[in-house]
Amino acid sequence: MDHQHIPAQDLKMPRVENSLFIRSAFSLPVERPPVWMMRQAGRFMKEYWEIKNKYSFLEMCKTPEIAADVTMLPVNLLDIDAAILFSDILVTGEAMGGDLSFTNGIGPRFANPVRTKADVDNLQTGVLDKLQYVADAIRVIRERLNGKIPLIGFAGAPFTVMSYLVEGGSSKDFKLTKLMLHNEPELAHRLLSKIAVVTADYLNLQIEAGVNAVQIFDSWAQALSWDDYREFSHYYIEQIISRLNRKDIPVISFCKGSSVFAPMMAEAAPDVISVDWNADLLTIKRQLPEGIAVQGNLDPHILYADKKVIKERILQLFERMRGQDGFIFNLGHGIMPDIPFDNVKYAVELIKEFSY
């Protein structure tokens, strides 16, 4: 396809290979753990709402300058160690043919759920032209970051994207998705294979546009049994990671359920496994092969608590991980919208003052 890609190495900007985040992701020694937080450019900031009240969520994602504005909020307001692209995990499903919308209080909806062989056959895979706005946003963000900190790109994992396409939106029990897995496994694999192809292409598009790391989000993996996770999620994440142009680009694998699935996740050879808050992080780290870093795993609810408690819990985690190369501080999942901004800022400042 004739897309005007600018290879990352052609952008005349400072290099970020020696940043705390990239060094930690590659399990190299650092003077303190780097910090960023999932959903850090989000609804807990009044500055986010000043932008959100002017545009729809998809307009924000699809307008490079606005996506860059939102991406930069935690960089400018929190002095975080890594930026993450402002986008959504479902843009791949939309590019493939899903009729996607976001409604306040309801969340994402696909008006044309994927439930039959014909529905799956109708989904397109050669869709990078429909995702160029993401590459454009990455270039704008890179210019604004000017090499100060790394930029993380991301995509939704095939199972999670599949669940939204099949259910038509969010689900508490994933009943329709699991029915497809169990009653029509061949159809489920056909759908997951298509999503996996698009996801690998999409992440490579982001790498070519200039992101410094990528994260794969399997937000609903905890809905799966061990065997179903292996067959319907892990298998496809392994395929995606094997197809990435990952030279000098750390790959982070995250799922809700990583406290259980981490040893299997390691088989896909990511550089970092992002761990939910249901496990002891050091125990997980010791179960993983040498050279795989861990990211996490503070319970985000701690950030509602008094600052004394926030400090205790963060320092407790840091003491537990003392002496471990390959540790990136993060939450076990995303920041909730009503967490006080001051508490988040306090946590970041506390982490940045820490040294081993």
Side-chain angles (χ1 to χ4, degrees):
M1 294 186 184
D2 185 21
H3 299 317
Q4 296 301 307
H5 297 323
I6 304 171
Q9 61 269 27
D10 291 350
L11 293 168
K12 302 293 187 237
M13 294 178 185
R15 301 169 76 84
V16 294
E17 286 89 340
N18 285 323
S19 66
L20 288 172
F21 172 80
I22 297 292
R23 289 181 64 81
S24 293
F26 284 133
S27 295
L28 297 170
V30 289
E31 59 270 24
R32 69 162 172 85
V35 52
W36 73 279
M37 299 186 190
M38 289 183 269
R39 295 201 198 120
Q40 68 186 20
R43 295 171 290 173
F44 70 102
M45 290 189 278
K46 69 179 191 325
E47 291 82 359
Y48 172 89
W49 284 103
E50 286 166 9
I51 299 170
K52 176 71 181 73
N53 289 335
K54 295 178 192 168
Y55 307 98
S56 73
F57 182 75
L58 279 174
E59 278 179 309
M60 291 164 70
C61 292
K62 293 184 176 184
T63 310
E65 292 288 339
I66 300 171
D69 288 344
V70 181
T71 299
M72 293 300 293
L73 287 176
V75 179
N76 297 329
L77 298 172
L78 294 170
D79 197 20
I80 216 90
D81 289 318
I84 184 165
L85 167 70
F86 178 75
S87 186
D88 192 80
I89 60 170
L90 297 181
V91 296
T92 46
E94 183 190 43
M96 294 174 74
D99 182 0
L100 177 63
S101 63
F102 288 84
T103 308
N104 282 344
I106 297 174
R109 302 292 304 169
F110 282 107
N112 55 340
V114 176
R115 293 174 186 166
T116 66
K117 183 177 181 298
D119 295 337
V120 174
D121 290 346
N122 283 336
L123 292 174
Q124 304 300 305
T125 53
V127 296
L128 282 192
D129 55 323
K130 296 178 184 171
L131 293 164
Q132 282 301 307
Y133 63 87
V134 177
D136 294 339
I138 288 166
R139 293 187 189 105
V140 175
I141 296 161
R142 290 251 316 172
E143 283 178 22
R144 296 206 199 166
L145 286 172
N146 196 28
K148 180 187 171 193
I149 55 172
L151 174 62
I152 305 166
F154 71 91
F159 171 73
T160 288
V161 174
M162 171 195 178
S163 76
Y164 283 98
L165 286 170
V166 172
E167 303 289 340
S170 302
S171 172
K172 285 190 168 62
D173 58 9
F174 304 96
K175 182 178 178 183
L176 296 170
T177 310
K178 287 189 162 194
L179 267 176
M180 186 183 285
L181 301 184
H182 299 144
N183 281 352
E184 300 177 275
E186 286 181 13
L187 185 61
H189 281 302
R190 186 170 171 78
L191 173 53
L192 288 162
S193 294
K194 283 190 152 187
I195 300 169
V197 167
V198 171
T199 306
D201 288 347
Y202 176 51
L203 288 171
N204 281 330
L205 173 80
Q206 293 182 40
I207 291 168
E208 195 171 356
V211 299
N212 307 107
V214 293
Q215 177 157 316
I216 299 169
F217 283 86
D218 206 352
S219 305
W220 303 125
Q222 90 282 4
L224 294 171
S225 69
W226 179 269
D227 289 340
D228 284 347
Y229 177 76
R230 180 176 288 284
E231 181 177 353
F232 296 107
S233 178
H234 170 70
Y235 173 77
Y236 293 98
I237 291 170
E238 197 168 34
Q239 277 193 3
I240 290 163
I241 291 176
S242 73
R243 288 191 52 210
L244 296 182
N245 303 325
R246 61 191 289 196
K247 185 180 184 302
D248 301 326
I249 306 287
V251 177
I252 308 167
S253 183
F254 167 76
C255 76
K256 278 174 87 174
S258 50
S259 50
V260 174
F261 297 133
M264 195 193 308
M265 293 166 75
E267 296 171 20
D271 299 291
V272 185
I273 290 177
S274 192
V275 181
D276 59 39
W277 66 87
N278 301 109
D280 173 62
L281 198 58
L282 184 59
T283 302
I284 295 283
K285 181 90 166 74
R286 287 173 172 163
Q287 291 172 353
L288 298 175
E290 186 90 12
I292 294 186
V294 290
Q295 175 177 277
N297 72 334
L298 190 76
D299 179 350
H301 292 81
I302 298 291
L303 295 178
Y304 287 119
D306 294 338
K307 287 180 179 172
K308 179 171 79 71
V309 177
I310 294 170
K311 182 175 184 176
E312 280 170 7
R313 292 301 186 92
I314 289 174
L315 293 182
Q316 186 180 329
L317 176 60
F318 279 14
E319 283 305 320
R320 187 81 177 117
M321 297 303 291
R322 186 179 284 278
Q324 297 291 319
D325 293 331
F327 165 44
I328 297 166
F329 176 87
N330 209 309
L331 306 176
H333 199 231
I335 296 178
M336 279 77 78
D338 57 347
I339 284 178
F341 176 82
D342 281 353
N343 286 9
V344 182
K345 188 162 179 60
Y346 172 75
V348 174
E349 287 170 354
L350 181 73
I351 292 159
K352 296 193 80 165
E353 286 168 8
F354 183 85
S355 63
Y356 284 128

